[in-house]
Amino acid sequence: MPDEIRVAVAGAAGRMGREVVRAVAEAPDTILVAAVDRVGIGEDAGDLANIGPLGVTVSDDLEASLKKSSAQVLVDFTIPTSALSNAGVAIQSGVSPVVGTTGLTSDDTKRLAGWARDAGVGAVVAPNFAIGAVLMIRFAAEAARYMPDAEIIELHHENKLDSPSGTALMTAQRIAAARTQPPRGAPANTIEKVPGGRGADVNLVRVHSVRLPGYVAHQEVIFGALGQTLTIRHDSTDRRSFMPGVLLAVRKVRKLNGLVVGLEELL
Ligand code: NAD
């Protein structure tokens, strides 16, 4: 099909990358044209994704792969230390990056925004591509207007590298921005018997990170007020939950002017 969007995947051998390979191959308007990873080199990306061969072998050379394949969009689900440079290589090649990798710093995001703007290339960074998670963040911001005291418990599989999760950081930022009054905060004489006992302080939202086998990606936002609590919870029980959001970003990213942060901006 001439109008198919030509997609490259970085991290194609990883848990999320394999799901993206499958989603891109199965969608009627996208085609996988390149697959990059540090492992699985020379293997067919479709075989790695358990959908049979797609004729796209995994390479470890992103720049050459983007050029050779005439990719239009790069979907990146790698590791925090690779995602920024991968996005930079894509932008230099005129390819729009869709970055799902979490753990980028706010400085990283600013640099990426500058590169995208200067090159006139659309780009997306989203810490969570699941629609339910986007709604959880939106509802949490709404609750924070009336209930400023909030804590977050985020729960992920044991191999997740970064903590707190990108979703938790974004939720805490949105809560802080939405508050109309300050939270009560901890009493001055609070004692943390073990450092970190009260979790990480992100914009006066305590964030607790659980890492255990059995989880995929889950988060609870708990608001407390006199005599009541309100809990907003989202569970991704399957990595397929992220794919409609990834495909939405793939379809929209080339029409964007510079960098957009968060799936919500694309809905
Ligand atoms: P994973 O470890 O299973 O996969 C990462 C892959 O990236 C590995 O195969 C690794 O070899 C590869 N890689 C590392 N450096 C690379 C490089 N420079 N170029 C190409 N490939 C490289 O991890 P995962 O569970 O798939 O998660 C990947 C990222 O996605 C994490 O940051 C995670 O937090 C994030 N994530 C985001 C969302 C979202 O909705 N935005 C959802 C789930 C996970």
Side-chain angles (χ1 to χ4, degrees):
M1 234 174 48
D3 292 343
E4 284 172 329
I5 306 167
R6 301 177 66 80
V7 180
V9 176
R15 284 174 290 254
M16 285 296 289
R18 280 176 278 150
E19 267 324 319
V20 176
V21 164
R22 179 199 294 255
V24 166
E26 288 176 356
D29 56 342
T30 55
I31 181 168
L32 184 81
V33 295
V36 179
D37 205 302
R38 287 174 171 169
V39 297
I41 295 154
E43 291 190 53
D44 190 287
D47 285 335
L48 287 174
N50 270 329
I51 52 170
L54 293 172
V56 178
T57 49
V58 177
S59 157
D60 60 354
D61 188 338
L62 176 63
E63 195 172 351
S65 297
L66 293 179
K67 285 220 171 79
K68 203 172 87 185
S69 64
S70 305
Q72 296 167 305
V73 175
L74 172 70
V75 179
D76 187 290
F77 282 96
T78 58
I79 52 175
T81 46
S82 295
L84 181 67
S85 60
N86 284 354
V89 169
I91 289 171
Q92 274 170 15
S93 315
V95 176
S96 284
V98 170
V99 181
T101 309
T102 58
L104 294 187
T105 64
S106 54
D107 272 358
D108 291 341
T109 310
K110 274 186 206 144
R111 287 175 69 190
L112 185 50
W115 296 339
R117 189 189 51 233
D118 294 348
V121 169
V124 172
V125 172
N128 202 314
F129 280 105
I131 180 68
V134 171
L135 293 173
M136 168 184 61
I137 295 172
R138 186 188 286 179
F139 298 156
E142 178 66 10
R145 294 173 59 202
Y146 309 97
M147 299 176 81
D149 289 287
E151 302 212 5
I152 295 172
I153 305 172
E154 54 97 340
L155 312 93
H156 284 82
H157 60 89
E158 75 281 24
N159 292 316
K160 183 169 174 59
L161 296 181
D162 54 317
S163 61
S165 71
T167 306
L169 293 174
M170 184 177 252
T171 310
Q173 283 154 8
R174 296 284 159 87
I175 287 173
R179 281 175 176 140
T180 56
Q181 46 188 312
R184 291 152 57 99
N189 55 353
T190 294
I191 299 164
E192 262 190 346
K193 289 186 186 161
V194 177
R198 285 285 293 113
D201 181 346
V202 185
N203 300 84
L204 297 178
V205 178
R206 290 283 166 177
V207 183
H208 312 272
S209 298
V210 179
R211 297 289 176 266
L212 283 173
Y215 285 123
V216 178
H218 316 255
Q219 179 168 292
E220 268 185 32
V221 191
I222 308 170
F223 294 88
L226 191 62
Q228 59 185 318
T229 62
L230 167 68
T231 302
I232 303 169
R233 180 172 173 119
H234 176 255
D235 296 275
S236 272
T237 52
D238 190 309
R239 289 184 176 82
R240 279 178 293 183
S241 61
F242 304 111
M243 294 308 122
V246 171
L247 288 175
L248 178 73
V250 165
R251 290 177 184 125
K252 291 204 167 175
V253 66
R254 286 178 306 147
K255 295 171 198 132
L256 299 175
N257 197 3
L259 176 69
V260 162
V261 179
L263 181 66
E264 183 155 15
E265 307 300 319
L266 302 179
L267 295 175

